[in-house]
């Protein structure tokens, strides 16, 4: 963990709120030395660790290591509580901000979140290592959850000296009845242990030296020099990117018309975006046939669907022969199986990427149920948000995990990952039933008419997209519109953000968002579920 997160959290504890969920798409990991606290203030961390038993690891930076106690019930602000704290072996400082999983079978196997962290000061001593050796340590902690005076005292009755007591003094931070389990999320990422277990960013490998034990499970970012190379290129050339040599052309052509007060977006920018977003976007495209919406002359002119893998495509670009293709239909589809494929598609003039809902190995089995909230001409953005929130409530009530994304145009879609074995008839029927239930609550907003003209400008809850070879735009795909808007996954709480807009983010702005907040859809990648029976 010394890599990656370290450089971003070297400020005061307050900075951690902005740290959230840094994902190394573009930045080079910094060395472990960056972990020293601001102004030399030593740090502490509390990790909520679900191993064979749940416990909280309380660790103080002392003399170049993390002096550690395992607290089964967790630290508390409650001055009336006395908590057992088992003095355990020192940990390397590299472990300070580790959040992720420890492989099962290894010591401490399980999942870990950074439950709290901050700085601390020894009290009544200049030599905390000696205080620990003497069996009594008083500290003032400045965390986000833990504040005030903590005392650790070795129990006289402890035969091996490992049993200590932890307590919080009666001070202005004390809070009677305060329970750490009521504050269960990571101060780094806002995630619970369950969230981390479902989608870990890091693995701690106890078989490796400490400075290399934090192994990233995230895809590798694009190296900076690849971007520099593209920026320095003339109007065409060969770009070495993600281990592939790609012929790229017409780099200065404006493919997306300008938004007010901005310059039009060039093909060079689109290629750079495709490469930079590839680690985040690829999981939603990989292994799936993709329908490309091409605009070789730019978004101002009419585009067309392109499905057939062209003969001039490079050998490494995966193709898939559709066994069900009728005469005259697309026979061989493009399957974007590696990051360079996104760059190839962008260079091919594909401004939009629309993957199938099913994978090539089981084209008749969808892996997502999709809810498409399709606004009509009279549907306001607020109306659409009302519909989206009602779907959120419905899914929550059903115990179903889904996530919303804005389309980059006017709509919102909800993606629900499902286990193998469903047919498109199944998903279509299920989504229809959910949406009709929602629609009954808001009959003034929703039309079930097939023809656009017959809808009277009302929104459509379009369950019919749950069909083979029908597609919705991919997460992080650009859209062929002014300023190059992007279809962007959002957290459910963002439906309540007054600044949310369906086309809020563009290829110029979304990378910062993904870098600082991570990808709200990631939880879907390992979240395949049964669709509950609806009654
Ligand atoms: Mn532990």
């Amino acid at each position: 963990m010394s890599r990656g997160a370290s450089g971003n959290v070297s400020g005061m504890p307050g900075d951690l709120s902005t740290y959230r969920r840094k994902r190394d798409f573009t930045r080079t990991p910094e060395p472990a030395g960056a972990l020293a606290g601001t102004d030399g203030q030593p740090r502490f961390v509390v990790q909520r660790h679900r191993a064979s038993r749940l416990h909280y690891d309380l660790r103080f930076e002392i003399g170049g290591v993390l002096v550690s106690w395992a607290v089964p019930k967790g630290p508390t602000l409650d001055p009336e509580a006395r908590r057992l704290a088992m003095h355990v072996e020192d940990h390397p400082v590299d472990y300070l901000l580790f959040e992720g999983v420890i492989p099962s079978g290894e010591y401490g196997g399980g999942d870990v979140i950074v439950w709290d962290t901050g700085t601390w000061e020894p009290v009544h001593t200049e030599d905390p290592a000696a205080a620990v050796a003497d069996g009594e340590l008083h500290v003032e902690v400045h965390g986000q959850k833990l504040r005030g005076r903590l005392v650790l005292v070795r129990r006289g009755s402890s035969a091996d000296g490992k049993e200590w007591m932890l307590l919080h003094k009666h001070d202005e931070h004390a809070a009677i009845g305060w329970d750490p389990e009521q504050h269960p999320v990571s101060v780094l990422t806002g995630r619970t242990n369950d969230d981390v277990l479902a989608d870990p960013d890091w693995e701690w490998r106890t078989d490796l030296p400490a400075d290399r034990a934090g192994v990233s499970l995230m895809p590798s970012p694009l190296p900076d020099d690849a971007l520099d190379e593209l920026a320095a290129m003339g109007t065409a050339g060969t770009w070495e990117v993600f281990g592939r040599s790609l012929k790229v052309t017409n780099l200065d052509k404006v493919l997306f018309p300008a938004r007010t007060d901005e310059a039009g977006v060039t093909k060079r920018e689109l290629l750079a975006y495709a490469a930079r977003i590839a680690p985040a976007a690829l999981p939603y495209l990989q292994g799936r046939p993709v329908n490309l919406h091409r605009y070789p002359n730019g978004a101002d002119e009419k585009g067309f669907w392109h499905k057939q893998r062209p003969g001039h495509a490079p050998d490494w670009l995966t193709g898939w022969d559709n066994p069900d293709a009728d005469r005259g239909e697309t026979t061989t589809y493009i399957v974007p199986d590696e990051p360079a494929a996104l760059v190839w598609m962008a260079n091919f003039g594909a401004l939009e990427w629309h993957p199938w809902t099913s994978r090539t190995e089981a084209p008749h089995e969808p892996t997502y149920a999709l809810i498409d909230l399709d606004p009509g001409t009279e549907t306001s953005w607020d109306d659409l948000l009302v519909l989206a929130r009602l779907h959120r409530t419905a899914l929550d009530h059903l115990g179903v995990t889904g996530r919303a994304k804005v389309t980059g145009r006017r709509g919102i879609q909800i993606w629900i990952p499902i286990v193998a074995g469903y047919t498109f008839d199944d998903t279509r029927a299920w989504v229809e039933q959910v949406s009709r239930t929602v629609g009954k609550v808001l009959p003034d907003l929703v039309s079930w008419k097939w023809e656009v003209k017959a809808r009277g400008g009302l929104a459509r809850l379009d369950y019919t997209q749950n069909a083979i070879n029908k597609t919705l735009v991919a997460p992080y795909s650009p859209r062929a519109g002014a300023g190059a808007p992007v279809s962007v996954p959002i957290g459910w709480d963002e439906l309540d953000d007054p600044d949310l807009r369906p086309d809020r983010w563009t290829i110029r702005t979304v990378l910062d968002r993904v870098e600082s907040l991570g990808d709200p859809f990631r939880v879907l990648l390992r979240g395949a579920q049964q669709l509950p029976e609806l009654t």
Side-chain angles (χ1 to χ4, degrees):
M1 189 57 195
S2 60
R3 294 154 62 81
S6 59
N8 306 312
V9 290
S10 55
M12 293 298 288
D15 292 345
L16 293 174
S17 56
T18 57
Y19 163 79
R20 300 287 299 272
R21 204 178 178 192
K22 279 286 181 198
R23 293 178 175 280
D24 262 7
F25 287 129
T26 58
R27 85 190 52 224
T28 311
E30 295 185 22
L35 276 175
T38 306
D39 302 331
Q41 283 270 60
R43 298 168 160 240
F44 81 96
V45 66
V46 180
Q47 283 150 322
R48 188 174 185 275
H49 182 187
R50 290 194 305 190
S52 47
R53 287 183 132 165
L54 169 68
H55 59 275
Y56 289 70
D57 290 301
L58 172 61
R59 310 182 192 279
F60 297 95
E61 207 176 1
I62 299 175
V65 295
L66 298 174
V67 177
S68 301
W69 287 264
V71 185
K73 291 189 171 173
T76 176
L77 300 176
D78 187 345
E80 294 176 354
R82 298 282 178 278
R83 292 284 160 85
L84 173 66
M86 299 301 292
H87 192 195
V88 295
E89 73 283 4
D90 297 342
H91 268 56
V93 172
D94 304 85
Y95 195 71
L96 183 73
L97 294 179
F98 177 74
E99 176 166 302
V101 291
I102 301 168
S104 59
E106 293 191 24
Y107 176 71
D111 44 84
V112 177
I113 62 166
V114 175
W115 180 85
D116 195 19
T117 188
T119 59
W120 67 282
E121 302 159 61
V123 179
H124 306 319
T125 179
E126 298 291 304
D127 186 351
V132 172
D134 290 345
E136 185 163 342
L137 178 67
H138 293 237
V139 298
E140 189 80 18
V141 293
H142 313 284
Q144 299 194 25
K145 295 175 184 170
L146 291 183
R147 290 176 186 273
R149 185 75 51 88
L150 296 178
V151 180
L152 282 149
V153 194
R154 186 157 56 213
R155 273 181 166 174
S157 58
S158 175
D160 56 7
K162 288 186 176 163
E163 283 183 29
W164 291 52
M165 295 297 297
L166 170 68
L167 57 90
H168 192 287
K169 288 280 207 182
H170 284 275
D171 59 19
E172 73 269 31
H173 300 290
I176 289 173
W178 195 91
D179 178 1
E181 290 290 293
Q182 300 293 316
H183 306 266
V185 303
S186 162
V187 295
L188 288 190
T189 62
R191 296 194 297 169
T192 63
N193 280 77
D194 276 338
D195 295 336
V196 167
L197 178 63
D199 179 22
D201 291 348
W202 297 87
E203 184 174 65
W204 187 266
R205 294 273 301 276
T206 53
D207 57 324
L208 296 176
D211 63 346
R212 288 193 285 120
V215 174
S216 173
L217 300 175
M218 290 179 286
S220 343
L222 181 72
D224 283 344
D225 53 359
L227 282 176
D228 295 343
E229 198 189 315
L230 180 68
M233 204 177 284
T235 58
T238 299
W239 191 21
E240 305 289 336
V241 64
F242 293 118
R244 300 295 187 188
S245 287
L246 277 167
K247 282 201 167 59
V248 294
T249 53
N250 296 319
L251 293 175
D252 293 322
K253 187 172 188 165
V254 172
L255 287 184
F256 303 85
R259 282 188 175 182
T260 319
D261 300 331
E262 290 178 11
V265 178
T266 64
K267 192 173 178 188
R268 192 189 307 268
E269 284 179 90
L270 175 66
L271 296 190
Y273 171 74
R276 292 179 71 195
I277 202 65
L282 190 63
Y284 309 106
L285 294 157
Q286 218 160 13
R288 300 168 188 277
V290 65
N291 300 348
L292 301 178
H293 214 172
R294 288 183 64 206
Y295 296 77
N297 294 314
D300 267 345
E301 293 191 24
K302 200 166 159 47
F304 55 91
W305 288 103
H306 188 117
K307 302 178 183 179
Q308 182 75 31
R309 182 185 184 281
H312 61 72
D315 289 344
W316 53 261
L317 188 73
T318 307
W320 173 69
D321 294 328
N322 182 7
D324 299 331
D326 289 331
R327 185 181 287 272
E329 284 187 341
T330 302
T331 51
T332 305
Y333 283 80
I334 295 158
V335 179
D337 269 342
E338 58 176 288
L342 274 67
V343 183
W344 181 88
M345 290 173 354
N347 187 63
F348 192 44
L351 301 197
E352 300 190 356
W353 317 323
H354 296 245
W356 285 27
T357 312
S358 52
R359 298 174 185 281
T360 53
E361 67 262 24
H364 295 278
E365 289 187 12
T367 65
Y368 292 98
L370 302 172
I371 300 172
D372 186 13
L373 310 182
D374 188 7
T377 51
E378 300 298 313
T379 309
S380 71
W381 174 237
D382 283 339
D383 292 340
L384 201 70
L385 288 173
V386 169
L387 287 168
R389 289 189 199 111
L390 263 184
H391 278 88
R392 171 178 69 185
T393 304
L395 295 182
D396 191 44
H397 176 73
L398 292 166
V400 168
T401 298
R403 286 288 183 277
K405 69 180 175 71
V406 295
T407 61
R409 293 194 186 281
R410 295 184 61 221
I412 293 176
Q413 301 162 352
I414 298 165
W415 288 40
I416 298 162
I418 55 173
V419 295
Y422 287 105
T423 65
F424 283 102
D425 288 343
D426 295 332
T427 52
R428 193 165 55 249
W430 191 87
V431 170
E432 177 177 6
Q433 206 176 338
V434 170
S435 288
R436 284 200 187 266
T437 305
V438 168
K440 273 183 201 151
V441 181
L442 298 164
D444 296 346
L445 293 184
V446 178
S447 167
W448 297 100
K449 294 283 188 332
W450 193 264
E451 299 248 335
V452 176
K453 278 182 191 159
R455 284 181 214 153
L458 299 181
R460 182 167 185 234
L461 306 178
D462 188 2
Y463 52 88
T464 66
Q465 293 294 332
N466 292 285
I468 191 166
N469 201 347
K470 286 222 178 179
T471 58
L472 295 184
V473 70
Y476 304 108
S477 171
R479 302 309 301 270
V486 174
S487 180
V488 179
I490 59 173
W492 279 124
D493 53 347
E494 289 184 273
L495 290 177
D496 307 313
D497 178 349
D499 293 330
L500 184 67
R501 294 290 178 275
D503 58 354
R504 178 177 180 180
W505 294 283
T506 71
I507 68 170
R508 288 176 177 158
T509 60
V510 73
L511 287 156
D512 283 347
R513 171 190 160 85
V514 175
E515 226 178 283
S516 63
L517 291 178
D519 170 17
F521 260 34
R522 276 270 299 240
V523 66
L524 303 184
L525 291 173
R526 300 181 200 211
Q529 60 208 313
Q530 309 255 5
L531 293 173
E533 291 284 329
L534 302 170
T535 47

